[in-house]
Amino acid sequence: SVHDNLKWYCANGGTLGLQFYGSVDGIEVVNIFGRVDNHRKSLLSDGTPYDMGAQQCVWSMTKVVMCTVIMIAVERGWLKYDDPIAKHWPEFAEKFGPDSEKAKATITQAL
């Protein structure tokens, strides 16, 4: 279960704390948070207790958002994974010329 995996991850030093939220068709199906056991530090750096309201540090989220947007665009027929990037963003390969490898790079390759 999500709960068991979260508990194991925190207990085995994977993180000091994390929160996981998931929904299906706009309905919340899971909303849990985890932190290390009380014998280890369970406070944020400013001494605030780690709870459901704790802000999270995230890295590399633009990749996730960009991939999600691209998948939605493909689903709606606005682009195809095999399309050259330059088809939708001409400036991407403009200075290299239309026969360059960069001009032929596909959306799939960028993902």
Side-chain angles (χ1 to χ4, degrees):
S1 74
V2 173
H3 178 266
D4 291 340
N5 283 305
L6 175 67
K7 185 176 176 181
W8 179 90
Y9 189 70
C10 289
N12 287 287
T15 185
L16 290 177
L18 59 88
Q19 185 170 0
F20 181 80
Y21 174 88
S23 66
V24 176
D25 297 327
I27 299 169
E28 180 180 299
V29 293
V30 62
N31 188 0
I32 58 177
F33 73 96
R35 61 180 170 83
V36 296
D37 294 332
N38 289 333
H39 67 276
R40 292 175 62 195
K41 187 173 181 179
S42 62
L43 301 175
L44 300 177
S45 60
D46 66 356
T48 305
Y50 187 93
D51 61 15
M52 291 291 281
Q55 292 185 351
Q56 304 296 314
C57 293
V58 295
W59 291 270
S60 299
M61 290 303 297
T62 54
K63 294 174 205 167
V64 175
V65 172
M66 183 177 68
C67 288
T68 302
V69 168
I70 288 172
M71 287 187 281
I72 291 169
V74 168
E75 185 177 78
R76 294 182 180 177
W78 298 341
L79 56 85
K80 294 182 176 121
Y81 290 116
D82 292 330
D83 284 349
I85 297 168
K87 176 180 177 181
H88 303 282
W89 179 24
E91 298 83 2
F92 176 75
E94 194 171 72
K95 72 178 183 177
F96 297 96
D99 295 324
S100 69
E101 290 299 312
K102 189 166 184 176
K104 296 174 188 173
T106 67
I107 292 169
T108 297
Q109 290 170 319
L111 294 174

